[in-house]
PDB file of all heavy atoms in Angstrom:
ATOM      1  N   LEU R 127     114.446 143.172  55.952  1.00 50.00           N
ATOM      2  CA  LEU R 127     115.637 143.493  56.731  1.00 50.00           C
ATOM      3  C   LEU R 127     115.245 144.087  58.082  1.00 50.00           C
ATOM      4  O   LEU R 127     115.849 143.766  59.106  1.00 50.00           O
ATOM      5  CB  LEU R 127     116.541 144.455  55.962  1.00 50.00           C
ATOM      6  CG  LEU R 127     117.812 144.895  56.696  1.00 50.00           C
ATOM      7  CD1 LEU R 127     118.668 143.668  57.030  1.00 50.00           C
ATOM      8  CD2 LEU R 127     118.595 145.872  55.867  1.00 50.00           C
ATOM      9  N   GLU R 128     114.215 144.940  58.113  1.00 55.00           N
ATOM     10  CA  GLU R 128     113.754 145.533  59.368  1.00 55.00           C
ATOM     11  C   GLU R 128     113.296 144.455  60.336  1.00 55.00           C
ATOM     12  O   GLU R 128     113.573 144.523  61.535  1.00 55.00           O
ATOM     13  CB  GLU R 128     112.623 146.525  59.106  1.00 55.00           C
ATOM     14  CG  GLU R 128     113.076 147.735  58.326  1.00 55.00           C
ATOM     15  CD  GLU R 128     111.909 148.564  57.836  1.00 55.00           C
ATOM     16  OE1 GLU R 128     110.749 148.170  58.017  1.00 55.00           O
ATOM     17  OE2 GLU R 128     112.176 149.620  57.245  1.00 55.00           O
ATOM     18  N   THR R 129     112.596 143.447  59.843  1.00 48.00           N
ATOM     19  CA  THR R 129     112.131 142.347  60.682  1.00 48.00           C
ATOM     20  C   THR R 129     113.307 141.583  61.276  1.00 48.00           C
ATOM     21  O   THR R 129     113.309 141.244  62.454  1.00 48.00           O
ATOM     22  CB  THR R 129     111.230 141.387  59.873  1.00 48.00           C
ATOM     23  OG1 THR R 129     110.144 142.133  59.338  1.00 48.00           O
ATOM     24  CG2 THR R 129     110.718 140.258  60.742  1.00 48.00           C
ATOM     25  N   VAL R 130     114.324 141.327  60.481  1.00 44.00           N
ATOM     26  CA  VAL R 130     115.512 140.617  60.957  1.00 44.00           C
ATOM     27  C   VAL R 130     116.214 141.424  62.045  1.00 44.00           C
ATOM     28  O   VAL R 130     116.636 140.883  63.064  1.00 44.00           O
ATOM     29  CB  VAL R 130     116.475 140.305  59.787  1.00 44.00           C
ATOM     30  CG1 VAL R 130     117.804 139.768  60.298  1.00 44.00           C
ATOM     31  CG2 VAL R 130     115.833 139.336  58.826  1.00 44.00           C
ATOM     32  N   VAL R 131     116.342 142.730  61.862  1.00 42.00           N
ATOM     33  CA  VAL R 131     116.984 143.585  62.859  1.00 42.00           C
ATOM     34  C   VAL R 131     116.198 143.554  64.164  1.00 42.00           C
ATOM     35  O   VAL R 131     116.774 143.394  65.235  1.00 42.00           O
ATOM     36  CB  VAL R 131     117.135 145.036  62.336  1.00 42.00           C
ATOM     37  CG1 VAL R 131     117.582 145.969  63.445  1.00 42.00           C
ATOM     38  CG2 VAL R 131     118.121 145.070  61.174  1.00 42.00           C
ATOM     39  N   VAL R 132     114.907 143.688  64.100  1.00 44.00           N
ATOM     40  CA  VAL R 132     114.069 143.663  65.306  1.00 44.00           C
ATOM     41  C   VAL R 132     114.200 142.325  66.014  1.00 44.00           C
ATOM     42  O   VAL R 132     114.372 142.258  67.234  1.00 44.00           O
ATOM     43  CB  VAL R 132     112.591 143.974  64.970  1.00 44.00           C
ATOM     44  CG1 VAL R 132     111.695 143.684  66.159  1.00 44.00           C
ATOM     45  CG2 VAL R 132     112.441 145.422  64.526  1.00 44.00           C
ATOM     46  N   LEU R 133     114.124 141.225  65.280  1.00 45.00           N
ATOM     47  CA  LEU R 133     114.248 139.894  65.881  1.00 45.00           C
ATOM     48  C   LEU R 133     115.628 139.689  66.498  1.00 45.00           C
ATOM     49  O   LEU R 133     115.749 139.110  67.566  1.00 45.00           O
ATOM     50  CB  LEU R 133     113.958 138.811  64.852  1.00 45.00           C
ATOM     51  CG  LEU R 133     112.499 138.688  64.423  1.00 45.00           C
ATOM     52  CD1 LEU R 133     112.365 137.666  63.297  1.00 45.00           C
ATOM     53  CD2 LEU R 133     111.607 138.321  65.597  1.00 45.00           C
ATOM     54  N   THR R 134     116.666 140.177  65.852  1.00 47.00           N
ATOM     55  CA  THR R 134     118.024 140.061  66.393  1.00 47.00           C
ATOM     56  C   THR R 134     118.138 140.816  67.708  1.00 47.00           C
ATOM     57  O   THR R 134     118.709 140.317  68.674  1.00 47.00           O
ATOM     58  CB  THR R 134     119.064 140.590  65.386  1.00 47.00           C
ATOM     59  OG1 THR R 134     118.950 139.831  64.192  1.00 47.00           O
ATOM     60  CG2 THR R 134     120.474 140.488  65.938  1.00 47.00           C
ATOM     61  N   LEU R 135     117.595 142.015  67.782  1.00 48.00           N
ATOM     62  CA  LEU R 135     117.639 142.784  69.027  1.00 48.00           C
ATOM     63  C   LEU R 135     116.856 142.100  70.130  1.00 48.00           C
ATOM     64  O   LEU R 135     117.269 142.092  71.282  1.00 48.00           O
ATOM     65  CB  LEU R 135     117.114 144.208  68.788  1.00 48.00           C
ATOM     66  CG  LEU R 135     118.013 145.111  67.970  1.00 48.00           C
ATOM     67  CD1 LEU R 135     117.309 146.437  67.676  1.00 48.00           C
ATOM     68  CD2 LEU R 135     119.337 145.347  68.670  1.00 48.00           C
ATOM     69  N   MET R 136     115.727 141.506  69.795  1.00 51.00           N
ATOM     70  CA  MET R 136     114.913 140.824  70.802  1.00 51.00           C
ATOM     71  C   MET R 136     115.650 139.609  71.359  1.00 51.00           C
ATOM     72  O   MET R 136     115.606 139.345  72.548  1.00 51.00           O
ATOM     73  CB  MET R 136     113.569 140.404  70.204  1.00 51.00           C
ATOM     74  CG  MET R 136     112.644 141.571  69.944  1.00 51.00           C
ATOM     75  SD  MET R 136     111.142 141.095  69.079  1.00 51.00           S
ATOM     76  CE  MET R 136     110.467 139.858  70.154  1.00 51.00           C
ATOM     77  N   VAL R 137     116.337 138.854  70.513  1.00 58.00           N
ATOM     78  CA  VAL R 137     117.049 137.657  70.947  1.00 58.00           C
ATOM     79  C   VAL R 137     118.266 138.023  71.786  1.00 58.00           C
ATOM     80  O   VAL R 137     118.601 137.340  72.733  1.00 58.00           O
ATOM     81  CB  VAL R 137     117.452 136.805  69.722  1.00 58.00           C
ATOM     82  CG1 VAL R 137     118.388 135.688  70.114  1.00 58.00           C
ATOM     83  CG2 VAL R 137     116.211 136.248  69.040  1.00 58.00           C
ATOM     84  N   SER R 138     118.957 139.100  71.455  1.00 76.00           N
ATOM     85  CA  SER R 138     120.178 139.462  72.161  1.00 76.00           C
ATOM     86  C   SER R 138     119.921 140.227  73.453  1.00 76.00           C
ATOM     87  O   SER R 138     120.826 140.371  74.254  1.00 76.00           O
ATOM     88  CB  SER R 138     121.090 140.273  71.243  1.00 76.00           C
ATOM     89  OG  SER R 138     120.464 141.490  70.884  1.00 76.00           O
ATOM     90  N   ALA R 139     118.727 140.725  73.662  1.00 87.00           N
ATOM     91  CA  ALA R 139     118.407 141.449  74.889  1.00 87.00           C
ATOM     92  C   ALA R 139     118.227 140.462  76.040  1.00 87.00           C
ATOM     93  O   ALA R 139     117.880 139.308  75.831  1.00 87.00           O
ATOM     94  CB  ALA R 139     117.137 142.262  74.695  1.00 87.00           C
ATOM     95  N   PRO R 140     118.467 140.909  77.265  1.00 92.00           N
ATOM     96  CA  PRO R 140     118.310 140.014  78.414  1.00 92.00           C
ATOM     97  C   PRO R 140     116.832 139.726  78.696  1.00 92.00           C
ATOM     98  O   PRO R 140     115.953 140.503  78.308  1.00 92.00           O
ATOM     99  CB  PRO R 140     118.929 140.807  79.554  1.00 92.00           C
ATOM    100  CG  PRO R 140     118.750 142.227  79.154  1.00 92.00           C
ATOM    101  CD  PRO R 140     118.889 142.243  77.650  1.00 92.00           C
TER     102      PRO R 140
END
Side-chain angles (χ1 to χ4, degrees):
L127 178 60
E128 294 169 355
T129 303
V130 171
V131 170
V132 169
L133 289 175
T134 301
L135 289 174
M136 289 174 57
V137 170
S138 63

